[in-house]
Amino acid sequence: MHIPDGFLSPAVWATLDLVSVPAVGLLARKAQRDLEDRKIPLLGVMGAFVFAAQMINFPVGPGTTGHLVGGTLLAVTLGPAAAAVVMTAILAIQAFVFQDGGIVVLGANVFNMAIASVLAGYLPYRLWAGSGWRSAAIFAGGVLSVLTSACLALAQLLISGVPMPRRLMLVSLGLFLVSGLIEGAVTLAAVRAIERLNPVWIRSPKDSGSRVLGAVAIAAVTLVAGGVLIASAAPDGIWSLVGKLGLTAQTAPWLHAPLADYQVNGLESAWLRKATAGLFGLVLVYVACFLTGKFIARQRSI
Amino acid sequence: MHHVVVERWSRRSSPLHARDARAKLGALLAFLVAISTTPPQAARAFVAYSALLAVAIVSARLPFQGLLGRAALVLPLSATFAAVTWWSGDPARAIALAVKSFISGLAALLLVATTPLTQLLNALESLGVPRPLILVVQFLYRYLFVISEQAQHMRLAARCRQGLGLDRRSRFYAAAGALGVLFARSWERADGIYRAMLARGFSGRFSPLAPARFGARDFAFLCAAVAASTAIRLAL
Amino acid sequence: MSPVIQVRGLRYRYPDGTQALDGVDFHLDAGECVALFGANGSGKTTFVLHLNGLLDGEGSVEVCGMPVTKDTFVKVRAKVGIVFQDSDEQLFMPTVLEDVAFGPVNLGLSPQKAAERACAALEKVGAAGAIHKAPYHLSSGEKRRVALAGVLVMNPDVLVLDEPTTSLDPPGQRDLVKLLRGLPQAKLLVTHDVEFARALATRAVFFERGRVAGEGTVNEIVQRFSWSRALDE
Ligand SMILES: Nc1ncnc2c1ncn2[C@@H]1O[C@H](COP(=O)(O)OP(=O)(O)OP(=O)(O)O)[C@@H](O)[C@H]1O
Ligand SMILES: [Mg+2]
């Protein structure tokens, strides 16, 4: 889902902008290093491909069709860093040209759909591409990528104070799961079709990392995405956790300082607490994703 | 799809069109941040934001209705969320949600409707967005229409075959096959583009043509926009 | 006088195993205009790509006496200008002006100088009206002209045109003939259009399955390979 402007509270979008900007910068540099300059047109054209691919309908149920979202497909063809850059470019075009998604919340959308989603979608492939589980990994990647981005978006909305009755939330989660399954099936079918045309286009990861570590990594990504959701539904939980860990004393001042002027404007402290808790949760997600990535990279280089 | 209406608008001329893209981008960000940080109860502030925006739209000499219609694309989504919010007993927040998303969307639309995408990208680059990303966006936009057209042809072809009475499973795999072909063509096109670039002496660096000039008027515009947004935010 | 292009025993096999070129010998003299005929898939485009070092086959390719290798790419590409078969691939910049100026900027010209030359080149091909347009708004005939301008602006010694007349209307084809006649460069025209070749080329070469199967005047080649679309024999 592309979050429009006006939905997220300043603390949430500001944090995510702050997270996404350097992340995209790093990824762009990495993508360029991985792929040489020749790939700049390639990345652009593949972005256009993902856009255009939405016109190709996949029949999935009686009277319903689905289409490719693309993060996982891009990751297994271009590599995860390049895929994240392409997804970022797509989101930028959608926001600026097609008014799909907001401008100040672009960082949030990029984080959900270009960074976390692509990483989650690539992890299973990264780990099981060389095994008999390859197809399952691609499928799982598709499912995970959609679930991750949707759950993150939902969590950010909740943290921003958009209320969501429990029943509605269950329905949304069910829908996310269905879209995830569709994306998994479509991605797998697409990868197979592409491979039949020219197997070179599907990049195999140089070598697979440890399976156990991989399982841990996937669990981590899923848990943080799901965890954020739960945490944001009950922000007091995470807040008290922060307190228990004895973090409050150190974190509170710098978390509160930039928000001080909102308080002046009569915003109740419950909102502030929620926002801060959410902010903290999101930083946790980021750190977790980052560390997982680092860990896997280290594993690979050994 | 071939002619995005916004792009046609962006090539017109008006005082707002004439402003440097960086000034407009800065103004938009100030405006959006002001709106986003405005508490839901501040109804007068939202009226003032709308008035400010209306002034900008008038000076851009763009069709009012067309702009509003286009900006209304966000309404189904924000109306849904607003309804849920209202339903759970917070009408002020519900209205603020819908109003904020609509005004913000309209403001962003006004930027792209008065600024050709190339200028906007150059502005983003001079504000520090990494060059590779800018170039990817540029190539994406350039080939969006070319490849969408191919996809459209494939969709037509697929629809023509639908009469053959295939079951869902085989239609699913046919769609996957089409996707594969579209992928292959896109990839090969990218190779062709790169060859054409090399043939014309590309050595790994893009150099932009004439950089835009940031004049006194642009500066004045930026200051005015930031001041107005801040004033509304703080005073109302 | 040594030929501007000299190719000997050129072979190329695509990664998928297609032997697209199978020992091509070819030369092009300064100021000469040669037509290259051949069936679809006979290797014409593949051959053209070698003239700029864009593909690297076995055998030798020399441009103005320089062997085409990594070290000479820059010089070779400034000397041989190729107008590709697919103009959409050639016009990759956001506006026509930027696209035509792309080559000169790469040659090291200042942006202003490059833009000036680009304007002049667009004027020459009769596309000055499109200067600020985006390439995807152009008709296919206009795209061809702009693509040609993008190559002319580099002022190369050799012009290679891959199917230049496709999607040009008859007046456009006439203009192209006139324009090319006025240019002093050596030209290689890859074409299926016999009329067009007759109007310009002094010599024709015929490709068959990646080899040169025949050489002569345009009329000789057309006759020898029954290379016309006349249905009544
Ligand atoms: N990228 C590629 N990979 C594999 N085979 C290729 C590739 N490009 C071309 N070929 C094959 O090489 C052969 C020569 O192709 P080429 O494009 O040079 O022909 P051509 O003479 O230009 O044809 P046309 O008149 O249709 O333009 C053909 O059999 C074609 O299928
Ligand atoms: Mg050809």
Side-chain angles (χ1 to χ4, degrees):
Chain A
M1 191 187 81
H2 296 63
I3 304 173
D5 275 327
F7 277 45
L8 296 186
S9 61
V12 174
W13 62 249
T15 313
L16 289 166
D17 283 350
L18 283 179
V19 168
S20 292
V21 168
V24 168
L26 272 175
L27 287 166
R29 199 150 6 117
K30 173 152 171 46
Q32 217 178 11
R33 201 160 357 105
D34 285 3
L35 302 159
E36 329 117 49
D37 55 327
R38 65 165 294 216
K39 290 303 191 326
I40 291 267
L42 179 63
L43 298 194
V45 174
M46 292 328 275
F49 158 77
V50 169
F51 239 99
Q54 300 182 351
M55 288 181 195
I56 295 178
N57 289 323
F58 284 75
V60 286
T64 34
T65 57
H67 64 74
L68 181 77
V69 177
T72 308
L73 181 61
L74 286 177
V76 303
T77 51
L78 300 172
V85 172
V86 174
M87 290 306 281
T88 305
I90 292 174
L91 292 170
I93 288 277
Q94 281 173 330
F96 280 108
V97 181
F98 297 98
Q99 284 80 53
D100 197 2
I103 306 293
V104 289
V105 297
L106 191 55
N109 284 328
V110 164
F111 181 83
N112 299 345
M113 284 183 278
I115 300 175
S117 167
V118 166
L119 182 69
Y122 185 66
L123 267 180
Y125 181 74
R126 172 75 190 75
L127 296 161
W128 287 297
S131 70
W133 293 90
R134 187 166 174 278
S135 298
I138 294 170
F139 179 81
V143 178
L144 266 185
S145 69
V146 165
L147 271 184
T148 304
S149 63
C151 288
L152 283 172
L154 193 58
Q156 288 150 15
L157 288 170
L158 289 169
I159 296 166
S160 299
V162 177
M164 188 130 334
R166 185 143 307 202
R167 208 174 303 157
L168 190 65
M169 195 142 111
L170 286 178
V171 172
S172 332
L173 285 176
L175 286 177
F176 294 161
L177 186 62
V178 172
S179 351
L181 293 171
I182 293 174
E183 172 73 358
V186 169
T187 304
L188 181 57
V191 166
R192 286 193 171 146
I194 291 166
E195 224 159 15
R196 224 172 298 129
L197 291 171
N198 188 350
V200 178
W201 285 326
I202 308 295
R203 288 159 69 101
S204 41
K206 273 146 222 130
D207 59 300
S208 289
S210 126
R211 301 279 139 78
V212 181
L213 182 76
V216 172
I218 293 169
V221 173
T222 334
L223 274 181
V224 269
V228 165
L229 197 60
I230 295 160
S232 51
D236 296 324
I238 217 171
W239 193 243
S240 69
L241 179 71
V242 171
K244 273 197 200 113
L245 291 174
L247 286 170
T248 338
Q250 296 101 316
T251 50
W254 67 260
L255 277 176
H256 281 262
L259 302 169
D261 54 326
Y262 300 123
Q263 236 164 356
V264 179
N265 286 299
L267 284 182
E268 60 278 73
S269 64
W271 177 87
L272 188 67
R273 258 174 30 165
K274 254 189 192 177
T276 326
L279 203 144
F280 188 75
L282 287 163
V283 171
L284 272 184
V285 179
Y286 180 66
V287 169
C289 290
F290 184 78
L291 287 182
T292 333
K294 266 265 154 84
F295 212 51
I296 289 174
R298 172 119 26 103
Q299 195 76 10
R300 184 180 38 187
S301 62
I302 289 170
Chain B
M1 175 109 186
H2 217 302
H3 294 271
V4 177
V5 66
V6 177
E7 197 192 302
R8 251 191 347 240
W9 285 337
S10 75
R11 296 187 187 281
R12 294 190 181 189
S13 62
S14 80
L16 202 56
H17 283 80
R19 296 285 66 77
D20 185 274
R22 284 163 287 185
K24 283 186 267 187
L25 201 58
L28 175 72
L29 288 182
F31 187 73
L32 293 182
V33 170
I35 291 184
S36 179
T37 55
T38 305
Q41 304 82 1
R44 281 185 307 163
F46 290 116
V47 174
Y49 289 131
S50 312
L52 189 60
L53 196 53
V55 171
I57 293 176
V58 169
S59 69
R61 300 194 200 122
L62 290 172
F64 220 84
Q65 256 178 335
L67 272 177
L68 290 185
R70 181 117 195 162
L73 288 178
V74 73
L75 281 182
L77 187 65
S78 56
T80 313
F81 277 90
V84 173
T85 311
W86 189 301
W87 190 30
S88 41
D90 199 348
R93 184 187 277 281
I95 295 171
L97 184 84
V99 170
K100 277 184 179 186
S101 61
F102 183 72
I103 303 182
S104 305
L106 191 57
L109 177 61
L110 190 60
L111 169 72
V112 285
T114 57
T115 319
L117 192 71
T118 7
Q119 288 179 22
L120 191 60
L121 290 178
N122 287 343
L124 284 169
E125 194 194 344
S126 62
L127 295 178
V129 177
R131 185 135 182 78
L133 181 61
I134 295 284
L135 289 171
V136 172
V137 173
Q138 183 182 307
F139 274 98
L140 196 168
Y141 191 67
R142 166 66 184 91
Y143 288 98
L144 184 54
F145 304 96
V146 178
I147 292 176
S148 294
E149 222 160 83
Q150 279 181 346
Q152 220 138 22
H153 293 162
M154 294 172 109
R155 190 158 77 158
L156 264 181
R159 212 172 274 159
C160 293
R161 281 191 305 256
Q162 235 164 39
L164 302 179
L166 294 176
D167 62 339
R168 191 180 307 145
R169 202 184 157 75
S170 21
R171 273 189 292 135
F172 187 91
Y173 285 109
L179 203 63
V181 172
L182 192 65
F183 180 95
R185 286 200 189 152
S186 308
W187 193 287
E188 274 160 10
R189 185 176 287 281
D191 280 344
I193 294 163
Y194 187 64
R195 276 203 296 258
M197 287 165 58
L198 287 181
R200 286 157 73 196
F202 181 67
S203 54
R205 278 192 58 81
F206 285 86
S207 337
L209 279 185
R213 202 160 293 142
F214 196 87
R217 285 181 181 204
D218 301 312
F219 188 68
F221 168 78
L222 178 60
C223 291
V226 173
S229 306
T230 317
I232 296 175
R233 171 68 186 82
L234 295 179
L236 297 175
Chain C
M1 194 161 153
S2 69
V4 282
I5 290 181
Q6 177 81 56
V7 177
R8 289 199 196 87
L10 185 62
R11 303 162 154 274
Y12 184 77
R13 187 199 289 270
Y14 278 104
D16 70 346
T18 315
Q19 188 76 43
L21 296 179
D22 197 9
V24 174
D25 297 301
F26 174 85
H27 69 98
L28 183 72
D29 293 328
E32 195 185 16
C33 180
V34 173
L36 180 56
F37 292 128
N40 295 127
S42 56
K44 304 183 295 294
T45 299
T46 310
F47 174 68
V48 164
L49 292 175
H50 280 86
L51 302 180
N52 240 338
L54 296 169
L55 289 178
D56 182 24
E58 296 165 50
S60 86
V61 180
E62 280 179 21
V63 170
C64 301
M66 292 180 285
V68 178
T69 62
K70 261 210 170 64
D71 307 320
T72 57
F73 277 169
V74 177
K75 279 188 214 152
V76 165
R77 286 169 188 166
K79 289 210 183 293
V80 182
I82 304 181
V83 180
F84 287 93
Q85 198 164 356
D86 184 341
S87 337
D88 262 324
E89 285 174 7
Q90 187 143 16
L91 308 180
F92 43 79
M93 294 297 276
T95 66
V96 166
L97 180 65
E98 282 172 275
D99 195 277
V100 177
F102 180 81
V105 168
N106 285 332
L107 289 183
L109 263 65
S110 75
Q112 263 138 350
K113 198 92 190 158
E116 268 166 39
R117 273 173 68 170
C119 289
L122 283 165
E123 195 87 44
K124 214 177 202 172
V125 298
I131 197 156
H132 291 296
K133 283 197 171 181
Y136 47 82
H137 290 313
L138 303 179
S139 75
S140 28
E142 288 170 320
K143 278 184 202 163
R144 291 240 140 240
R145 288 163 198 258
V146 174
L148 180 59
V151 170
L152 284 182
V153 75
M154 316 248 311
N155 204 12
D157 290 353
V158 185
L159 270 177
V160 180
L161 297 100
D162 199 349
E163 314 266 1
T165 53
T166 14
S167 66
L168 276 184
D169 53 13
Q173 299 188 8
R174 217 167 44 219
D175 290 347
L176 181 64
V177 170
K178 263 191 237 155
L179 174 69
L180 291 178
R181 270 199 185 133
L183 296 173
Q185 282 98 339
K187 294 166 211 94
L188 177 62
L189 312 172
V190 178
T191 185
H192 296 304
D193 186 340
V194 175
E195 291 303 309
F196 177 73
R198 246 189 218 124
L200 286 162
T202 49
R203 184 159 67 95
V205 172
F206 194 88
F207 262 42
E208 208 168 51
R209 271 171 267 123
R211 287 163 189 269
V212 175
E215 222 181 302
T217 65
V218 173
N219 282 332
E220 280 167 16
I221 292 295
V222 168
Q223 207 148 48
R224 191 162 139 206
F225 295 95
S226 319
W227 205 244
S228 82
R229 61 187 153 220
L231 296 170
D232 41 80
E233 298 238 355

